[in-house]
């Protein structure tokens, strides 16, 4: 009773948080009212004043030690004076800074070190100051928006009249975002304007604020639109677009505020840290604050696919074309076989042999789970129960032999849920009737052992034989891999559902948004297999250069926040992965949308007929309709039915994404009928045309439930913005994928019986509604586990990535590249000496053995006398000194700038080549450890242990290879 009563009296947690913010909103409004009497210059003055204060917390830009050492007295005095000016601003907050700075190298270097010691406090100090000025800064932004009203603003080349001033609820949202929360605001509440508040405040710090959107169009639109406000306040705005050149990207990132998509920001990070060969080639300047629009789409939906920069691998793709006719013939033959099995099911059912019919029904599911006749069988609740009973029976241990017999006639099996297809013996014989070893991988260990033990072979012949064995293995493995991926392409990946073909290219469709995923390709040859299937040009298989997950990219930021209309259902994941809390923000005006009960149908055909009928009635009355579908295929099916019914309409799916915003923006006009994949058009408001409100506003119809409740909420939210009238309704059939794969089978069968008993087309059933929601929760939990699983593995990789990228950046930015070389010598030599000592014969002279090994492996002048004391530390210290001296001697005549550039490049070559090889090794390890679960071992623990060993080897190899590169280059110059 008390648990129920307290929230009623005190409000829930979110209500209390909003109430805590309201006094700050009142203060903002008071300040803004006073600012109305001030001239425009007052706003600019305040901006510059805050920027000047926050500039004291920037990084120190001062000469390097080597530059200082080359300066004369005047130059040192100038450098000391610049430091003194900077320190005078900070001494009041940081008493550890030196009281004076002398114009000497030692004093300036000491001051730089003291500054470095206090930089760890800057983030906290900066945050405290921003919180202090928040009310006044937000008032400045609101006042600037008021002053802009009536002015013409060019947006994407089109003039727009500015008519926006922040509401109180938008101020609440802006405060929540600044404080590192996700502001959940309904569609049409003006999230784009809300973002200007925390963006302006944090841009004052001068570290760059990134505003992240879901596509290039919105990034360009919002940057154009909001730059009118930011420019009025003296801030610069940039926008990153696809295919921009590095020089232009660098200029955009140098702005106070930069708009762009998550993939553009992420790929620039990978290029900067994994591919840039000089500091000047890097375009980003840090990761201070990111505000993510449609945060659920980016941090949840896009997080399933990592960002990967690839290059072409050496293997050609022509094998896919070679094996395509074979696999296509195999697929057609299995289709014919499964049609015969379906006929056999019907015959057995008529004969009353129910157990045999159940066995054949299970066989049909194994061979072709998407067979049309099989799907029609599944409409019958009795046959569903029969299939479940038969499947359970065959999966029991005692019936494994019978299961093997059942599958004997099949060419391959398909597992729809796990996205796999496996060739069976009959399929292998069909593909290669004359070569029984076509799919047999050679026993490499046995053959290599046989070669080594063959005394008749010379060492050269043994080497050639080993190469031949490995080539044979690669050839056989490649053949099996190509055929397996082609089989998956034919059985599991459907055109206009999983991908579209446009302009001779295969583009993946995001299952949540319905958008093409630009630049994304399926890995491991699957994309090439689909290209072969669709007979388009096949690109070469890729080799990974750099990769990062969306989760780990955005966790790089010092501050992270976001906004969306639908986040609360994923609040736990936002908190667990990103440490972000969700705060629902009240609407500015009451939402009056009418959400009608779901209409549930037995078949897809009945559902589509009802949808067309409902659209026809609304269209006849002039009411605009937005129809949401779950796939491109569904949207085109509906479009054909609308055309047949003579209803004018427009279609928005992955094939027409370029017109996305334009099509969605017009969806509220009188008589408009817009067919769209569920999540398309996010970020674009649908404004009602003249007279539409009187007709009931926009009517949103969904043709099925999405696996995510969040997407359903997003679709409903497309209507009834800012108090507009609107209506929504979902039409569901028992044949929908969500119902077939995830709804409780018993409850589903019971619902079908209700249809049959009442002899009706549609059904409204609260129990089935709960089944739908339970199915959605099940899918959401599965998807979260999947994302968490990917992240758990990538967290291991991320620690290694941070170390490698950190070392790489140190190479790019270190003041003294010669110190880098000397450090490498000091790190590599002791390990080498340790290895030499372990290989020495204890019964022979250590000194002589060490002398021989060092003489063979290191380009330095040594004598046997140098090894009189063979202790490891003594020999290591001697050799480190001689190696450093030898290097310095060889490069002394090389111009300093040329040498500095060359030294860095030699180390970077070693890092990049070995890191890319390591990524491939980690991929193979990742695939391999999953099999260890069968041995009762935790794959993640195994992955952590073995990846650590691989990483130790990697870092040792990088140092050794870098040192070899440096000495080889140095001696080639001297030669």
């Amino acid at each position: 009773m008390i648990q129920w009563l307290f929230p009623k009296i005190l409000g829930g947690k979110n209500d209390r948080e909003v109430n805590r913010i309201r006094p700050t909103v009142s203060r903002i409004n008071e300040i803004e009212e006073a600012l109305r009497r001030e001239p425009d210059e007052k706003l600019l003055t305040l901006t510059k004043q805050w920027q000047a204060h926050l500039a004291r917390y920037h990084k120190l830009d001062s000469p390097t030690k080597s530059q200082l050492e080359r300066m004369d007295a005047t130059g040192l005095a100038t450098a000391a004076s610049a430091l003194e000016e900077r320190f005078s601003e900070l001494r009041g907050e940081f008493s550890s800074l030196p009281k004076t700075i002398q114009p000497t190298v030692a004093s300036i270097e000491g001051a730089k070190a003291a500054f470095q010691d206090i930089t760890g406090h800057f983030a906290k100090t900066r945050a405290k100051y921003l919180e202090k000025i928040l009310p006044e800064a937000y008032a400045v932004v609101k006042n600037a928006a008021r002053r802009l009203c009536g002015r013409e603003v060019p947006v994407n080349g089109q003039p727009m009249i500015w008519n926006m001033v922040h509401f109180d609820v938008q101020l609440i949202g802006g405060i929540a975002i600044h404080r590192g929360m996700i502001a959940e605001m309904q569609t049409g509440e003006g999230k784009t304007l809300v973002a200007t508040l925390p963006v302006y405040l944090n841009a004052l710090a001068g570290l760059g604020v990134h505003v992240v959107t879901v596509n290039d169009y919105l990034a360009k639109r919002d940057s154009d639109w909001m730059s009118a406000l930011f420019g009025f306040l003296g801030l610069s705005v940039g926008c990153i677009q696809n295919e921009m050149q590095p020089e232009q990207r660098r200029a955009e990132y140098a702005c106070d505020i930069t708009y762009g998509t998550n993939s553009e920001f992420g790929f620039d990070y990978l290029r900067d840290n994994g591919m840039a060969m000089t500091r000047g080639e890097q375009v980003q300047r840090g990761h201070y604050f990111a505000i993510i629009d449609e945060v659920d789409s980016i941090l949840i939906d896009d997080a399933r696919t990592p960002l990967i920069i690839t290059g072409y691998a050496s293997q050609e793709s022509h094998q896919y074309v070679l094996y395509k006719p074979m696999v296509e013939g195999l697929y057609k033959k299995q289709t014919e076989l499964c049609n015969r099995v379906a006929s056999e099911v019907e015959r057995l059912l008529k004969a009353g042999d129910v157990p045999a019919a159940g066995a054949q029904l299970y066989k049909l599911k194994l061979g072709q789970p998407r067979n049309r006749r099989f799907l029609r069988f599944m409409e019958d609740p009795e046959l569903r129960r029969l299939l479940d009973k038969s499947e359970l029976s065959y999966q029991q241990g005692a019936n494994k032999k019978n299961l093997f017999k059942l599958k004997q006639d099949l060419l391959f099996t398909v597992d729809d849920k796990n996205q796999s297809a496996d060739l069976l013996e009959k399929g292998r014989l069909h593909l290669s009737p004359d070569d029984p070893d076509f799919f047999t991988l050679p026993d490499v260990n046995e053959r290599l052992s046989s070669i080594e033990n063959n005394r008749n072979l010379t060492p050269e012949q043994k080497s050639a034989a080993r190469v031949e064995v490995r080539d044979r293995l690669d050839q056989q493995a490649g053949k099996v891999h190509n055929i397996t991926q082609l089989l998956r392409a034919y059985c599991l990946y459907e055109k206009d559902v999983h991908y579209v073909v446009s302009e001779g290219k295969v583009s993946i469709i995001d299952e949540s948004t319905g958008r093409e995923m630009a630049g994304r390709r399926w890995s491991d040859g699957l994309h090439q297999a689909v290209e072969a299937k669709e007979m388009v040009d096949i690109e070469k298989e890729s080799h990974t250069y750099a990769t990062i997950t969306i989760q780990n990219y955005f966790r790089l930021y010092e501050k992270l926040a976001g906004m969306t209309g639908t986040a609360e259902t994923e609040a736990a994941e936002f908190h667990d992965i990103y440490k972000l809390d969700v705060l629902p923000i009240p609407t500015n005006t009451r939402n009056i949308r009418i959400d009608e009960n779901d209409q549930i149908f037995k078949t897809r055909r009945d559902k589509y007929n009802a949808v067309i009928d409902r659209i026809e009635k609304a269209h006849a009355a002039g009411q605009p309709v937005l129809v949401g579908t779950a796939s491109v295929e569904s949207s085109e099916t509906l479009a054909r039915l609308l055309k047949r019914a003579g209803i004018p309409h427009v279609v928005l799916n992955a094939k027409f994404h370029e017109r996305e915003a334009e099509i969605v923006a017009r969806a509220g006009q009188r008589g408009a009928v817009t067919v769209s994949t569920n999540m398309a058009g996010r970020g674009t408001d649908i404004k009602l045309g003249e007279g539409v409100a009187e007709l009931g506003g926009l009517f949103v119809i969904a043709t099925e439930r999405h696996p995510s409740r969040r997407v359903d909420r997003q679709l409903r939210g497309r209507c009834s913005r800012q108090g507009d009238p609107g209506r929504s309704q979902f039409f569901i059939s028992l044949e929908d994928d969500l119902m077939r794969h995830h709804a409780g089978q018993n409850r589903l069968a019971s619902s079908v019986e209700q249809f049959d008993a009442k002899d009706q087309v549609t059904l409204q059933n609260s129990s089935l509604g709960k089944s739908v929601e339970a199915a959605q929760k099940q899918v959401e939990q599965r998807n979260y586990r999947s994302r968490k699983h990917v992240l758990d593995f990538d967290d291991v990789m991320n620690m290694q990535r941070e170390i490698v990228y950190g070392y790489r950046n140190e190479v790019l930015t270190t003041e003294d590249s010669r110190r880098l070389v000397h450090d490498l010598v000091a790190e590599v030599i002791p390990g080498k000496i340790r290895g030499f000592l372990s290989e020495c014969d204890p019964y022979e002279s250590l000194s002589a053995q060490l002398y021989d090994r060092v003489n063979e492996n290191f380009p330095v002048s040594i004598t046997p006398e140098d090894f009189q004391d063979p202790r490891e530390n003594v020999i290591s210290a001697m050799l480190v000194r001689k190696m450093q001296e030898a290097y310095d001697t060889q490069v002394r005549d090389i111009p300093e700038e040329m040498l500095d550039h060359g030294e860095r490049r030699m180390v970077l070559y070693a890092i990049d080549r070995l890191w890319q090889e390591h990524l491939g090794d980690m991929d193979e390890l990742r695939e391999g450890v999953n099999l260890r679960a069968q041995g009762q071992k935790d794959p993640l623990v195994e992955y952590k242990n073995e990846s650590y060993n691989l990483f130790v080897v990697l870092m040792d190899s990088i140092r050794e290879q870098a040192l070899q590169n440096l000495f080889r280059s140095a001696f080639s110059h001297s030669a």
Side-chain angles (χ1 to χ4, degrees), residues 25 101 161 238 403 659 696-697 729 739 745 751 794 891:
V25 171
I101 304 171
I161 302 300
L403 177 59
R659 299 176 55 210
Q729 188 168 30
M739 306 297 288
Q745 297 301 312
S751 301
D794 192 65
V891 299

Side-chain angles (χ1 to χ4, degrees), residues 690-717:
E690 189 174 342
V692 170
E694 289 73 23
L695 297 172
L698 179 66
F699 188 10
V700 171
I701 293 176
T703 60
E704 62 187 274
R705 286 279 188 176
H706 194 275
S708 168
R709 292 170 295 162
R710 177 171 46 81
V711 178
D712 287 348
R713 288 182 61 208
Q714 179 71 31
L715 184 60
R716 284 193 194 277

